[in-house]
Amino acid sequence: MSSSAVRKEDVRDFWNADPCGTRYLAGSGDFETHARARYALEPYIFDFAQFQSSRGLKVLEIGVGMGADYLEWLKAGALATGVDISAASIDRAMARCEQARLKPDLRVAFPSRTIVSTWCIPMA
């Protein structure tokens, strides 16, 4: 197995063992407490993301975690797809969306034989 595959497995194992933000959950389905803690720690997210302006827009969230921001995209009416390397995180994000009675488009991404590369091309 290549070193990059080993590192990817290590990252996946880390996030599956402790999905981002679980320390803020009072219980497994207490997503409201998680959201309050998240947005108290990072209050700039709403201004930066401009969820309220996303109705009808296509959104791809990479690294969805437990889905706090992803849920905000759906509530605003965005056509949102979310991916994460962690199946445990995706499971929690799915539960969060189902609890809110919204239909998510969430997927586990980057299987071990996938090459992950990010490119940014400036637009004129």
Side-chain angles (χ1 to χ4, degrees):
M1 188 181 308
S2 73
S3 62
S4 64
V6 171
R7 281 182 262 153
K8 199 180 306 180
E9 291 299 324
D10 290 344
V11 170
R12 182 179 295 115
D13 291 346
F14 175 84
W15 289 117
N16 277 330
D18 189 19
C20 187
T22 53
R23 65 179 158 238
Y24 303 119
L25 290 175
S28 64
D30 186 20
F31 299 118
E32 191 59 38
T33 298
H34 170 259
R36 275 195 307 275
R38 174 173 172 66
Y39 298 126
L41 289 169
E42 301 176 280
Y44 53 83
I45 289 175
F46 280 90
D47 288 338
F48 177 78
Q50 299 183 6
F51 299 115
Q52 71 280 2
S53 301
S54 65
R55 176 168 297 285
L57 297 178
K58 292 181 180 179
V59 173
L60 172 61
E61 185 177 345
I62 300 171
V64 120
M66 292 195 318
D69 299 336
Y70 181 79
L71 182 63
E72 295 301 322
W73 295 118
L74 290 183
K75 289 183 343 189
L79 307 169
T81 297
V83 297
D84 201 289
I85 196 168
S86 164
S89 295
I90 290 293
D91 289 346
R92 292 194 179 181
M94 288 280 245
R96 175 182 237 134
C97 293
E98 289 166 0
Q99 193 176 80
R101 300 192 192 289
L102 294 169
K103 186 178 178 194
D105 178 11
L106 294 166
R107 305 159 197 203
V108 176
F110 316 124
S112 59
R113 298 189 132 211
T114 302
I115 296 171
V116 179
S117 179
T118 304
W119 292 85
C120 179
I121 301 170
M123 303 301 282

